[in-house]
Amino acid sequence: MVRRPVAWVAAIVLFVEALGIGLLNWFLGVVVDRQDMSLAGLDSDMMSVSSKVGGVVFGLYFAACGLAALLVGLRDRAPRVVGRVLLVSAAVVHGMLGAFTVGLVGWGAFAFMMVVLGLIVFTLMAYDRREAAGPADAAPGDGEDPEGGKNGDTGGGAPIAAPPAPSAS
């Protein structure tokens, strides 16, 4: 199957991206600090610190998303609620970043963002929640009906009646 390697690749890409985002924002903070300029009257020290803090926060966010994808790949199961929320939010972020980067950076950055988006979405879609309930290829005559109950058991209610036959008139 391809779903485990794709989850691992998504995790590696998210970890590399976390490191890259963190280092890029740290570098921008150092540049602003050394330039000692202000932008529209803002304090340059505040801009420098906020850039560094933003880099750490976004780096940790992408690292947490990478950890969620790594756990999916290691366990070969669908992510739990927190992991699913992290991966869905990372997919949304990459979709929006892709839309912004096409105009600001170019098509190469857009293609990279769309590849990462595809990896995340595939990781989410490849693991179906219904797989965890039991084998999907069990025949209905094996003691269970497709709805999950025993054969002949209608769940405690009235038996299911067949639809009426069409009249010949």
Side-chain angles (χ1 to χ4, degrees), residues 2-149:
V2 249
R3 62 186 191 178
R4 285 183 92 176
V6 168
W8 291 337
V9 169
I12 291 169
V13 168
L14 285 169
F15 285 135
V16 169
E17 193 173 14
L19 183 66
I21 290 290
L23 290 176
L24 176 68
N25 279 316
W26 195 271
F27 173 73
L28 290 174
V30 169
V31 168
V32 168
D33 194 30
R34 290 191 181 162
Q35 290 294 320
D36 198 31
M37 295 195 278
S38 72
L39 179 67
L42 295 173
D43 185 24
S44 64
D45 291 332
M46 182 62 73
M47 290 189 302
S48 172
V49 169
S50 64
S51 177
K52 291 176 183 177
V53 169
V56 169
V57 167
F58 280 116
L60 289 175
Y61 166 71
F62 283 127
C65 295
L67 180 64
L70 181 67
L71 289 176
V72 167
L74 290 175
R75 293 178 181 164
D76 200 22
R77 288 188 321 210
R80 303 207 189 252
V81 175
V82 174
R84 186 172 292 272
V85 167
L86 279 172
L87 290 175
V88 167
S89 67
V92 170
V93 165
H94 280 86
M96 292 178 61
L97 284 176
F100 291 136
T101 58
V102 72
L104 297 174
V105 181
W107 288 102
F110 172 77
F112 174 75
M113 288 296 162
M114 292 303 107
V115 167
V116 177
L117 173 67
L119 288 170
I120 295 169
V121 169
F122 185 83
T123 300
L124 285 168
M125 298 298 291
Y127 292 93
D128 193 6
R129 284 279 186 194
R130 289 176 281 171
E131 281 185 21
D137 54 339
D142 291 343
E144 296 206 14
D145 65 2
E147 285 81 30

